[in-house]
Amino acid sequence: MKKLYLDIETSPHQVYCWGLWSENIGVNQIIQPSRVLCVAYAFDDEGMQFVSEWQDGRKKMIEQLWTVLDKADVVVHYNGVSFDETHLNREFLQAGMDPPARFQSIDLYRTVKRRFRFAANKLEQVAKELELREGKLKVDFVLWRDVLSGSLEAQALMEKYNREDVELTRELYKELLPWIDRHPNAALYEGDDLMRCTRCASENLTKDGFARTSAGTFQRYRCGDCGAQSRGKSRSSTTPLREA
Ligand SMILES: [Zn+2]
């Protein structure tokens, strides 16, 4: 399973506005809408890559990202279904490109929101409460302003910030793996018919009770590597009747 970890940084909308407080900004006040500025990404078994508007130019950046997504079976991100993926789709459309090959998404933000209660669901807070890394770099709006005005120092800092977020996403994925619902079936990508964990494809499985659904009873297994549970595909018992 070709798994891609990815995080994007975007520019703010540039707008005209009359006031600083409780302002509603109409679309006719937009000078320049938000765009993708840079992206850090890494395939599971490869090193971190970084592409940006300032290093590579927009055309090359967008084309490279399209190729990378086209190769991925699964994309892992934090709030990427509604943010990163849609921003990138817009860039592809604007560049006149077709969609990349369909991939499955693992949005860790959705797992965090559905299955846990942290003080906040922001990546920074979750990482802190799980003691994952030193925590994200502290940056504020000045960084975006300086990046856009061409400061090499600011651009280097944004690259660092972007790369760190992908590292953090990769670490968080490993922590959350047995908790992720509807994870793509990793065993399918191994091309054999061995009994493998559906999350990490490990064969290190032990029997762990039974799963009972409305259709019947299934053998359940626990993975010794990632801790996730899987269940057998055939029923070990069933009942003559089901609920009508
Ligand atoms: Zn596993």
Side-chain angles (χ1 to χ4, degrees):
M1 189 160 79
K2 221 154 167 40
K3 209 182 297 144
L4 176 74
Y5 301 86
L6 167 144
D7 182 52
I8 74 169
E9 298 301 334
T10 58
S11 65
H13 295 304
Q14 232 183 308
V15 299
Y16 292 112
C17 62
W18 298 110
L20 298 180
W21 196 248
S22 300
E23 190 86 346
N24 283 313
I25 294 159
V27 287
N28 58 1
Q29 287 166 262
I30 297 172
I31 303 166
Q32 199 171 35
S34 174
R35 65 182 189 278
V36 174
L37 288 178
C38 59
V39 181
Y41 63 88
F43 280 105
D44 226 359
D45 43 358
E46 294 169 19
M48 184 80 63
Q49 304 289 323
F50 177 79
V51 278
S52 66
E53 179 179 277
W54 59 85
Q55 279 173 17
D56 306 276
R58 291 195 63 71
K59 190 174 184 306
K60 190 179 161 214
M61 173 179 76
I62 300 303
E63 284 172 1
Q64 188 167 330
L65 292 168
W66 190 95
T67 307
V68 165
L69 284 176
D70 193 58
K71 273 197 283 187
D73 297 312
V74 170
V75 181
V76 185
H77 41 43
Y78 200 83
N79 198 26
V81 167
S82 67
F83 189 79
D84 304 54
E85 287 185 22
T86 50
H87 267 289
L88 290 170
N89 286 344
R90 188 201 59 248
E91 297 285 358
F92 298 148
L93 182 68
Q94 287 176 325
M97 302 165 99
D98 294 327
R102 268 227 191 268
F103 51 81
Q104 289 179 282
S105 305
I106 300 177
D107 191 335
L108 299 178
Y109 170 73
R110 295 190 169 187
T111 300
V112 161
K113 210 170 127 184
R114 190 162 51 226
R115 304 219 56 184
F116 309 98
R117 185 179 282 267
F118 290 99
N121 294 329
K122 290 180 85 74
L123 180 57
E124 182 181 5
Q125 182 61 27
V126 173
K128 196 170 156 192
E129 290 193 43
L130 292 176
E131 298 173 359
L132 285 187
R133 287 170 77 84
E134 288 297 294
K136 287 176 54 142
L137 280 172
K138 294 275 171 285
V139 295
D140 62 21
F141 190 77
V142 173
L143 179 63
W144 273 258
R145 191 197 63 193
D146 293 349
V147 162
L148 290 168
S149 64
S151 156
L152 295 179
E153 201 185 325
Q155 289 166 350
L157 183 58
M158 183 165 283
E159 175 173 346
K160 187 162 184 253
Y161 175 75
N162 199 184
R163 284 171 179 267
E164 284 204 351
D165 266 6
V166 176
E167 278 307 342
L168 201 51
T169 303
R170 182 142 65 171
E171 278 184 36
L172 184 61
Y173 171 77
K174 291 193 173 91
E175 275 308 289
L176 296 184
L177 184 54
W179 300 90
I180 299 171
D181 292 327
R182 292 183 290 280
H183 188 283
N185 187 348
L188 279 177
Y189 293 87
E190 295 298 316
D192 55 33
D193 51 9
L194 296 174
M195 211 161 69
R196 293 177 179 279
C197 170
T198 57
R199 312 287 172 96
C200 74
S202 164
E203 294 170 67
N204 180 10
L205 298 170
T206 45
K207 287 185 177 175
D208 185 20
F210 293 92
R212 292 183 174 83
T213 71
S214 59
T217 301
F218 300 82
Q219 179 67 54
R220 197 167 53 201
Y221 300 86
R222 186 168 305 261
C223 175
D225 289 341
C226 77
Q229 287 187 325
S230 306
R231 65 176 170 87
K233 67 173 177 183
S234 36
R235 275 191 288 244
S236 51
S237 75
T238 186
T239 53
L241 297 179
R242 312 270 162 77
E243 185 180 299

